[in-house]
Amino acid sequence: MARRGVWVAAACAAVMVMLGLSLHEAGAAPAPAATSTVGQSRPAVMGTLPTDSGLSVSIDSLSPRIITSESEVVISGTIRNDSPTTLASVALEVFVANETPISVSALTTQLSDDEPDATHAASTTLTDVARGTTTPFEIRIPTSSLPLSDSDEWGPRVTTVAASSGSFSGKDRTILVWDSGAQVAASRVSTVVPWTSANAANNQAERSAILTLAGTSGVTLAVDPLLIPRGPQPTAVPSPTPSPTADEAQSGAQSDPGKQSGAASPSPTPSPTPTPAPTATDPARRSQDLQSEAFVASFMSTASEVIALPDGDADLGALALSGNSGFWNLASGSIASFPSTLRASGWVAPTPGGATPSPSPSGHPSASASPSPSASPSPTTMPSPAATAVGQSATQTATPDSGPTILRNVAWPADTTFGTSFLAGFASADQITIAPTSALTPAEDVPFTSYARVNVNPATGETTTDGTGAHTLAQQGDIASILSWNASGGDQLDAEQALTAITAIIARERPSSSRTLFAAADRTTTINERLTHRLAALYSPRWVNATSFSDIAASESTDLERTTVGPGALPDDTWTAIDSMASSLTNLTPLANATDDPNAVFDSVTPAILPALSVSSTPSEQLDAATAMTSQVTTMLSSVTVEPSSAVNLINKSAKFPVLIRNNLDWPVRVDVTLIPDDPRLRATPALSQELAARGATTVEVPVGAIGSGDIEVTYKVTTSDGYVLDDSRTVTVRMRAGWEDAITAVIASLFGLLFLAGITRSLRSRAARKKQASDANEASASQTDATDEAPRPDEASDTPHDTTDHETDTTKETP
């Protein structure tokens, strides 16, 4: 495969092998690969397999693949004996078709023909082929024995190896290609290989294949941004982003298609001394970081062009048909922020004061008032992912600020959503749409292949030849199906030879006129070494000229009419998925605005939106993914709740009613709390705005006023400042006894009065008692004093005893 950059890719692959890539690298977050049968079944162009009867033949190798001046052809393979006995001898015969198929359909017919028009070219015999064993064989055929005499009959020849032994037989077919050296104008061929969450394995073998494909001329990788490992360095200076408003939700985003461009602009000036990414302390994480950085550096230095898909490979066709401008802007922002350099991927620190490589997507999606699925957005309301494209460089040096050209002007909608409704909003001069293999086929059967680029009038869906209309690329479906086929063993040989054969047939159709061929592998195509071999076989012949995607997109338009393009259809489940996610974001807006960081709230759920609408998912799978996202929003909206409370006794006419509210969000939330009684005897006023702590419970006191008594039910109502209800499911029974306050006050006042009187009375009595005691004491003292004064002195008593006797006598007498 003599192509530019192959040696670089090989060197990079060797580096990756030595690094031993792990299954999950930093920054890459692909979803598990979707289970799909695409690429597993044999493409129709390969014809039908022959029927075996006891012997199974497999042609595994041809040498040479393309016959030029070689003297012999070597065919190698195996025979498996599925018969019930050992076979003493098995005869092998080789037949080569006498004619070169003039069309791809004729090739398919020859690959399915049980009795082709062919020349017996060689034979050999295998002996003692045991039952159940697989025996190799090799047959050498002199080129002189092949029916290759007319140089104008160059091209593919179907070759059959038939085995027989008695009643047992089997056969296998492959394709020899003869290059007689006839003059021919090489066909310009370009292919696209998707690397998305639907087919990503994120292992060593896949990354080695990615690097090989990135360095293969004619191959362009269409990459989901989520698969590019991101480093620990900041990649952009974030700018304030307003949260969605009602006006944004009701109107489509406006853009000027004339200003959209996918062309590269000069890359930022590299820093003289790049600052490496911070080194992780954990050895395992450090190893992963080194592997991821090595891969990104190799990818950026090897690839020439890369198609930037939206996050999760979201279906731009579905977004266009839905009319949801918020989701479209989200997809456009993810395309615009696709990293174009090692520094933009976060593996090298930003230059001090320098330009940041990739801006973050501006704005969060808002729920739009989407029309019905059949509504078509007007061209002026359909912004392009190229509108916010940033600069990138096409140089192939390994500097931190250089990398491939990032094509941000390419749309690749799903087969069902591709149509005029999408093309109407994606029809500016520098935008290109990849059409499905089933679309834009020639309107009439013609004996030649037209050019790959087709201009379509979005109003009618008809082909235009005057250069106007939406630019699309029609695929060569047979090549696309073979590239998508995950063949192995002998099938891999057949696939590689079929690719060579198809390009030879097309080149022979108009030998003097170069054709343009384009094919895109299916999104579920397995990226491995076998795919690189199929692409190498596609580009190896001299009649193939590897062409870049940009060149094929700018090539001449078709010279014949193609089938009319329909409007496209949005499946009901896809419509429901988009509508439900949009409604969820509308419901989330009040809660987000009630926090100090609305952007962080939206960022916790919006990364799931675009992957939910992946092109690779079926409508039912899209709906399931959308349901998971809406469930996450529902959980967030139910994260602010009132804690249950037992019955409350209220005896005051006015009080502050305590309400315990729990906030399970990661952000503080400012809310209003109101009590709604079912009886007017209790009046509640809204609480002042209260901030609830993150991951905790906060008590809010609500002023209330009560009149009368009775048992009433009170509902707690928690709302945002703009009235959005967060919780109104809790109620509490209030035993209101507001009349008791006056009675209790009167009783208490009376008690205090009685106590006061009792105290005064007691004080008066105590005072009177004290006075009486004092008076009695004084009288007793006076009496004692008088008695003392009247008593005779001792000397007087002894001097007048007669007087005493007379006194006593007198007293006695007076006694009756």
Side-chain angles (χ1 to χ4, degrees), residues 398-586:
T399 59
D401 297 299
S402 65
T405 298
I406 306 300
L407 303 178
R408 309 177 198 271
N409 61 335
V410 181
W412 191 2
D415 293 3
T416 55
T417 58
F418 170 80
T420 55
S421 298
F422 174 78
L423 295 177
F426 207 76
S428 65
D430 64 339
Q431 294 168 341
I432 191 77
T433 301
I434 298 176
T437 55
S438 58
L440 298 174
T441 57
E444 298 179 358
D445 289 336
V446 291
F448 63 91
T449 301
S450 184
Y451 299 119
R453 184 179 138 187
V454 180
N455 294 343
V456 178
N457 183 346
T460 64
E462 297 177 349
T463 305
T464 65
T465 57
D466 58 0
T468 62
H471 296 177
T472 65
L473 286 178
Q475 296 195 50
Q476 212 294 330
D478 297 319
I479 294 177
S481 65
I482 295 174
L483 290 180
S484 306
W485 184 25
N486 188 27
S488 61
D491 287 342
Q492 174 70 11
L493 171 66
D494 296 342
E496 295 173 10
Q497 290 299 97
L499 290 170
T500 304
I502 291 172
T503 56
I505 291 172
I506 294 174
R508 292 180 68 243
E509 292 173 350
R510 287 192 170 183
S512 60
S513 177
S514 173
R515 303 285 92 188
T516 55
L517 304 178
F518 172 75
D522 188 84
R523 281 176 162 90
T524 58
T525 301
T526 303
I527 300 177
N528 53 24
E529 186 180 17
R530 296 196 297 273
L531 175 61
T532 65
H533 290 168
R534 293 198 296 277
L535 284 161
L538 174 65
Y539 289 109
S540 61
R542 65 178 179 89
W543 53 84
V544 171
N545 180 17
T547 306
S548 69
F549 185 90
S550 295
D551 289 341
I552 210 77
S555 63
E556 60 269 42
S557 59
T558 187
D559 51 1
L560 59 87
E561 185 179 355
R562 302 294 181 112
T563 52
T564 302
V565 177
L570 186 63
D572 290 342
D573 283 349
T574 304
W575 164 259
T576 303
I578 295 174
D579 186 59
S580 62
M581 289 192 293
S583 298
S584 293
L585 288 184
T586 297

Side-chain angles (χ1 to χ4, degrees), residues 192 265 290 292 572 706 736 739 777:
V192 166
S265 58
L290 290 174
S292 296
D572 290 342
M736 191 172 62

